[in-house]
Amino acid sequence: MQFAQRLQHCETSAIRELFKLLGKPGIISFAGGFPDPGLFDVDGLRAASVDALAHWPGAALQYGATEGFGPLKEQIALYSANKSAPLQEQDFIVTTGSQQALDLIGKCLITPGDKVIVEGPTFLATIQCFRLYGAEVISAPIDEQGVQVDALEQLICEHQPKLVYLIPTFGNPSGAMLSLERRKRVLELAAQYQVLVVEDDPYGDLYFDAPPPPSLLALSKDVPGSRDWLAHCGSLSKILSPGLRLGWLVGPPALLANAVMCKQFSDANTSTYAQATAAAYLQSNRLPQAVTQVRKVYAERAACMAEQLRTQLGDAVSFVQPGGGMFFWVRLTGAHGGERDATAFSQRAVEQLVAFVPGAPFFAENPDASCFRMSFATSDLERIAEGIARMARAL
Ligand code: PMP
């Protein structure tokens, strides 16, 4: 069969190959990017799906508006307002996960040969999606405070990209958090160079101690002209359930109009049943308590992972302890002539029945082969300690 030329820009991810190995009996996996299913509010969602069918039986089982189900949009607007980013109904659309929002952005904006800038490292699916639409994906350097804004400005001037994609809060895979000062600079750059900045924010609520700085969306009201050049992707996946496949896209009116058009002939509408269930759930006001619980459990696991990495792997690794999210981004230092190649290390680790993800595929350019990503979300404290002991044996 002759497949479309656009597929030549994509490859099955190295991560998928690794995932094939994860079925090994007894393996401890830090490789996934899934939330802990033990933390899903099953009772709350069961009650919400019953409520949804009681209140909106027709709407919940019928086709729906491409823009999203009204009662859910009201709840998302309230949720966003609580985070200092009030939204009107026309400011956003509901999407089938935030991943669909990213796909719609790519579909609406990228002409083959266009350049886009992402963080190095960044979310792999975004790199793949933008490449599928023919983008040349350029990588901007980051540190523990997120993207380096001077370097970003230079890259914008040099490449005149169609868009800049950032995960400012607890990045996947970096765990990094863009500082308040840099957030303001990013918005100034968007307005000054008239380049669309896409803020992907699925992890902002998963902070451990202090809340993160306000999102770019919340800050955009203080930076004149920036809102016209900002898109924001939100998601219920990491705070409620990824199985619902519910996200949203905030953006300038023309972008939303085109996204709605493309969504019409893609999935027509996001599952009305899922939207009605989420609307009923958010109305029941159980989310704050559920998220508090997730934060508490993840904070304990992250603290444990940091402690175990320090005590068991010592100066063989370096990392910045994340203040939220789901990931540690760890570097092999090569101290005392030790291992520096995360791919070789991960292969030996799988033999010891522990898995994590080598970092190179997360870079659109200039891969750093010494890094790897570990998720603490789905392992209890005992398994974290045991898994890292196995990693020590694989060093
Ligand atoms: N963006 C980032 C940075 C992610 O890590 C993920 C999920 N792993 C997504 C988007 C997609 O999430 P959703 O379930 O909302 O489609």
Side-chain angles (χ1 to χ4, degrees):
M1 209 174 287
Q2 196 81 49
F3 288 103
Q5 214 172 6
R6 73 177 76 88
L7 290 185
Q8 287 168 8
H9 306 295
C10 285
E11 53 197 43
T12 335
S13 82
I15 297 184
R16 292 242 167 271
E17 297 304 310
L18 174 78
F19 275 65
K20 288 184 196 153
L21 301 171
L22 298 186
K24 275 193 162 190
I27 202 153
I28 293 179
S29 176
F30 303 127
F34 289 7
D36 189 335
L39 295 168
F40 294 152
D41 182 1
V42 179
D43 291 340
L45 281 165
R46 184 187 299 114
S49 74
V50 170
D51 285 352
L53 289 175
H55 290 139
W56 307 293
L61 299 174
Q62 185 56 282
Y63 288 116
T66 305
E67 291 84 351
F69 180 55
L72 177 62
K73 293 194 75 175
E74 277 170 31
Q75 291 300 315
I76 291 172
L78 283 173
Y79 165 87
S80 186
N82 280 336
K83 300 202 292 177
S84 315
L87 291 175
Q88 304 294 319
E89 198 193 336
Q90 67 275 15
D91 295 335
F92 68 105
I93 62 171
V94 175
T95 55
T96 302
S98 55
Q99 195 144 337
Q100 186 186 42
L102 296 168
D103 183 58
L104 290 171
I105 287 170
K107 204 176 252 178
C108 291
L109 288 167
I110 296 169
T111 303
D114 279 350
K115 296 179 178 180
V116 304
I117 298 178
V118 303
E119 290 156 290
T122 192
F123 181 41
L124 188 57
T126 304
I127 301 177
Q128 302 278 55
C129 166
F130 290 170
R131 282 197 178 136
L132 185 65
Y133 291 115
E136 182 184 332
V137 186
I138 290 155
S139 196
I142 69 164
D143 54 36
E144 65 271 23
Q145 295 194 52
V147 71
Q148 296 175 13
V149 279
D150 291 338
L152 178 62
E153 181 170 14
Q154 266 181 17
L155 289 170
I156 290 173
C157 292
E158 188 185 339
H159 296 287
Q160 304 187 331
K162 207 55 174 289
L163 59 92
V164 174
Y165 167 79
L166 302 174
I167 311 166
T169 310
F170 313 132
N172 174 9
S174 69
M177 186 164 75
L178 193 64
S179 66
L180 179 60
E181 204 186 320
R182 289 189 185 181
R183 284 173 196 242
K184 291 183 181 155
R185 277 275 285 144
V186 166
L187 289 168
E188 284 162 9
L189 293 177
Q192 182 182 347
Y193 294 100
Q194 308 215 319
V195 59
L196 183 76
V197 169
V198 177
E199 172 178 54
D200 189 9
D201 189 21
Y203 300 106
D205 275 318
L206 300 184
Y207 58 85
F208 303 149
D209 301 321
S215 63
L216 297 179
L217 181 64
L219 290 168
S220 62
K221 62 180 175 304
D222 303 326
V223 182
S226 63
R227 187 67 183 263
D228 297 339
W229 294 100
L230 181 66
H232 171 100
C233 307
S235 174
L236 293 181
S237 290
K238 304 304 187 318
I239 51 174
L240 182 56
S241 149
L244 290 169
R245 305 307 301 126
L246 291 173
W248 58 97
L249 169 63
V250 184
L255 172 60
L256 290 186
N258 281 309
V260 167
M261 180 179 71
C262 290
K263 188 171 159 65
Q264 270 161 9
F265 36 79
S266 172
D267 64 356
N269 62 263
T270 294
S271 161
T272 44
Y273 186 38
Q275 290 189 77
T277 298
Y281 183 85
L282 295 171
Q283 283 175 356
S284 75
N285 212 21
R286 290 175 68 124
L287 185 68
Q289 203 189 339
V291 175
T292 303
Q293 178 62 11
V294 173
R295 274 185 204 130
K296 180 171 162 281
V297 172
Y298 286 3
E300 281 165 10
R301 291 177 181 172
C304 171
M305 184 166 270
E307 170 72 15
Q308 294 296 330
L309 283 170
R310 279 190 204 107
T311 52
Q312 302 208 59
L313 299 189
D315 63 0
V317 295
S318 69
F319 59 90
V320 177
Q321 194 167 337
M326 294 178 17
F327 303 110
F328 274 62
W329 182 243
V330 185
R331 182 181 305 277
L332 291 167
T333 60
H336 320 295
E339 182 64 81
R340 274 176 182 280
D341 178 354
T343 302
F345 181 37
S346 81
Q347 283 158 358
R348 288 200 304 277
V350 168
E351 283 164 26
Q352 294 290 335
L353 295 178
V354 60
F356 48 84
V357 190
F362 295 104
F363 291 87
E365 300 180 296
N366 313 319
D368 182 342
S370 69
C371 292
F372 57 93
R373 187 192 76 176
M374 295 172 74
S375 166
F376 47 81
T378 50
S379 307
D380 63 21
L381 306 187
E382 215 173 301
R383 286 172 74 78
I384 290 172
E386 171 59 20
I388 293 175
R390 294 179 189 180
M391 287 169 70
R393 290 201 286 277
L395 257 181

